[in-house]
Amino acid sequence: CSVGIINGLSGWTSSVDDSPADTITRRFRYDVAIVSALKDLEEDIMEGLRDNGLEDSTCTLGFSILIKESCDGMGDVSEKHGGGPLVPEKAVRFSFTIMSVSVKAGGEKDKVIFTEPKPNSELSCKPLSLMFVDESDHETLTAIMSPIIAERDAMKNSRLIVSIGGLPRSFRIHFRGTGYDEKMVREMEGLEAAGSTYICTLCDSSRVEASENMVLHSITRSHNENLERYEIWRTNPFSESVDELRDRVKGVSAKAFMETHPTLDALHCEIGIATEFYKIFQDEIGEVYQKVNPSREERRGWRAALDKQLRKSMKLKPVMRMNGNYARRLMSLEAVELVCELVPTEERREALRELMTLYLQMKPVWRATCPAKECPDQLCRYSFNSQRFAEVLSSTFKYRYNKKITNYLHKTLAHVPEI
């Protein structure tokens, strides 16, 4: 291969300032990706047919696939040291998981012939599209994802015919967009950002309402309703003021572009509640329930005392931003006992212990892949536990929950059983 002189500057852009690589997204065609995933499962599907006593040569119609869709921002992906192509520092990944395959055999109800044993593992999660976009950049994100959404809509109403086990079989596809965190749900469903007074992506509750009534809410929002509300927001048919209009549409102020399903993201749920407990622990060490507006110095002292205690006895180093590992270790009976050593009165200690015990009873329900199978007792007791949890917060800790409550605490107390 006679190359001659290699141009050491090839690949450099001609302009002075560094411009990003030309490609900002790579994706598979959605149907092709699903076919590829199905072919990977070919043996499992054939085995499922045999195990259910179904004749594989007669089962060619009536298959359906349940697909979980996920999308999340990937934070800082820029190259740390090295001379690769320049990439922007933020990326978004959209992926899907085949949750189950079922077949309608002889007019009966669907028989499930394949269930993904580890639906939350990264091994079962197939990437569909990678984009160099900031997930907060609504315009670019919608532009890049619109073809995916168009393909998805086309597949909802049609059949996919794939050769499985040597015979063409016809599949219907059901999409469930549940792999989104709250930020992404708000982005896709056209809701205001997380600091909004409309705190929930599942119901119309405002922050004040949710702090007064912590438990009794049901899931009412839906993709179609969000689209209708956006039309009202856009046209203002009743000629209302901005505040009246906003109250009418409950914080829908952009056009919903992707359908999501009611979901609660367990990791952020854990982080959200741990952040809350971390603050309650500090407040209890300083007996805030007796004080009015303590100074910043005092608060700093309580935090230092808490950090020192956790570090000394649990080797738990303080973190700048709450993360999953810290949250899991903080939310334990061991940590609560350490905090209680710093809390002066016995009744406040009891309240903290009770809160933590209730939390640890509730947590498996939203942590489990399949709560009805894995922790049926806790699932049955969830509503009772969350009711009690809310009572303790609104009585013993009412100094913290006067007219305010965090988004995830509301969801955890109000919506988990229904989800």
Side-chain angles (χ1 to χ4, degrees):
C1 305
S2 161
V3 180
I5 297 173
I6 294 173
N7 175 3
L9 300 180
S10 68
W12 271 36
T13 42
S14 49
S15 75
V16 179
D17 57 350
D18 298 325
S19 63
D22 300 340
T23 310
I24 68 163
T25 174
R26 295 295 312 252
R27 72 183 187 90
F28 298 107
R29 230 174 67 190
Y30 211 156
D31 53 347
V32 173
I34 291 175
V35 169
S36 164
L38 276 176
K39 294 296 275 181
D40 286 347
L41 298 175
E42 186 165 15
E43 287 174 15
D44 296 309
I45 292 171
M46 297 311 293
E47 197 176 319
L49 284 174
R50 283 194 295 276
D51 291 349
N52 280 289
L54 299 168
E55 189 57 54
D56 85 348
S57 57
T58 55
C59 284
T60 53
L61 302 169
F63 284 85
S64 50
I65 321 169
L66 186 63
I67 286 182
K68 171 180 81 171
E69 298 179 303
S70 314
C71 185
D72 192 19
M74 287 166 64
D76 185 6
V77 294
S78 59
E79 186 146 18
K80 297 298 177 285
H81 32 67
L86 270 154
V87 294
E89 55 282 348
K90 294 256 174 41
V92 171
R93 176 176 54 187
F94 185 93
S95 50
F96 69 94
T97 302
I98 294 188
M99 298 295 279
S100 65
V101 179
S102 54
V103 64
K104 212 178 208 64
E108 301 167 33
K109 66 178 182 40
D110 286 14
K111 274 193 176 165
V112 178
I113 54 175
F114 167 77
T115 307
E116 174 53 57
K118 292 194 180 142
N120 294 329
S121 151
E122 68 265 39
L123 300 175
S124 59
C125 188
K126 315 282 181 196
L128 183 71
S129 170
L130 282 172
M131 318 162 230
F132 283 127
V133 192
D134 184 338
E135 63 177 320
S136 310
D137 177 355
H138 188 78
E139 290 68 24
T140 315
L141 190 66
T142 46
I144 291 180
M145 286 190 62
S146 54
I148 291 179
I149 295 163
E151 291 175 1
R152 181 181 186 275
D153 288 341
M155 283 191 292
K156 272 188 197 166
N157 307 317
S158 54
R159 303 282 182 279
L160 182 65
I161 295 177
V162 188
S163 160
I164 298 281
L167 290 172
R169 302 176 198 269
S170 154
F171 291 86
R172 290 188 62 164
I173 303 169
H174 306 278
F175 296 100
R176 295 282 179 272
T178 60
Y180 304 106
D181 59 14
E182 175 160 332
K183 185 177 175 189
M184 191 61 84
V185 169
R186 286 177 177 276
E187 170 106 356
M188 293 195 167
E189 291 283 15
L191 303 170
E192 292 172 359
S196 163
T197 172
Y198 298 100
I199 68 168
C200 191
T201 54
L202 306 171
C203 72
D204 291 343
S205 172
S206 71
R207 198 173 296 280
V208 174
E209 288 161 17
S211 70
E212 286 162 4
N213 159 17
M214 291 190 179
V215 179
L216 301 167
H217 298 273
S218 53
I219 296 175
T220 54
R221 289 192 191 266
S222 70
H223 184 65
N224 290 336
E225 182 191 58
N226 291 340
L227 289 170
E228 285 162 22
R229 283 178 165 174
Y230 171 69
E231 281 307 304
I232 291 175
W233 173 257
R234 193 176 65 80
T235 54
N236 194 1
F238 307 104
S239 309
E240 292 164 305
S241 72
V242 169
D243 292 338
E244 293 169 318
L245 184 59
R246 185 166 164 244
D247 183 57
R248 181 181 288 277
V249 298
K250 303 294 180 200
V252 175
S253 56
K255 186 168 179 179
F257 75 95
M258 179 96 170
E259 176 184 19
T260 64
H261 267 71
T263 177
L264 179 135
D265 158 33
L267 172 72
H268 286 96
C269 184
E270 219 156 79
I271 289 174
I273 295 176
T275 308
E276 202 52 35
F277 267 73
Y278 186 60
K279 288 176 183 159
I280 289 177
F281 290 162
Q282 292 168 46
D283 289 352
E284 286 304 305
I285 289 169
E287 300 190 273
V288 170
Y289 64 98
Q290 299 172 348
K291 298 188 169 76
V292 188
N293 292 341
S295 71
R296 187 172 281 178
E297 268 53 52
E298 286 182 273
R299 288 188 172 280
R300 214 170 270 150
W302 306 333
R303 180 171 179 174
L306 174 62
D307 284 344
K308 184 178 172 187
Q309 178 82 326
L310 292 171
R311 186 170 206 156
K312 187 180 74 188
S313 306
M314 284 180 76
K315 299 201 170 29
L316 194 54
K317 294 191 197 70
V319 285
M320 286 289 287
R321 249 179 93 220
M322 180 68 69
N323 60 51
N325 288 333
Y326 188 94
R328 269 187 288 279
R329 297 199 51 206
L330 182 71
M331 301 305 284
S332 62
L333 292 172
E334 184 190 0
V336 130
E337 284 309 325
L338 293 175
V339 174
C340 285
E341 290 174 20
L342 303 174
V343 173
T345 56
E346 183 53 39
E347 62 170 326
R348 308 297 293 183
R349 291 181 209 146
E350 272 312 304
L352 286 175
R353 287 187 190 110
E354 183 180 8
L355 268 191
M356 187 60 83
T357 310
L358 286 167
Y359 169 84
L360 292 171
Q361 282 286 306
M362 287 152 64
K363 175 180 150 180
V365 177
W366 40 259
R367 253 297 163 206
T369 301
C370 196
K373 283 200 196 98
E374 292 169 49
C375 50
D377 302 348
Q378 279 121 321
L379 181 59
C380 293
R381 299 232 305 277
Y382 193 94
S383 296
F384 174 78
N385 285 338
S386 64
Q387 187 88 46
R388 178 67 196 137
F389 194 92
E391 276 167 25
V392 176
L393 289 184
S394 49
S395 56
T396 317
F397 300 95
K398 62 173 176 287
Y399 63 86
R400 265 199 79 77
Y401 296 99
N402 183 16
K403 305 258 184 291
K404 54 188 202 289
I405 185 171
T406 60
N407 301 11
Y408 270 103
L409 193 52
H410 158 75
K411 276 187 185 169
T412 314
L413 293 176
H415 294 305
V416 167
E418 199 178 346
I419 291 174

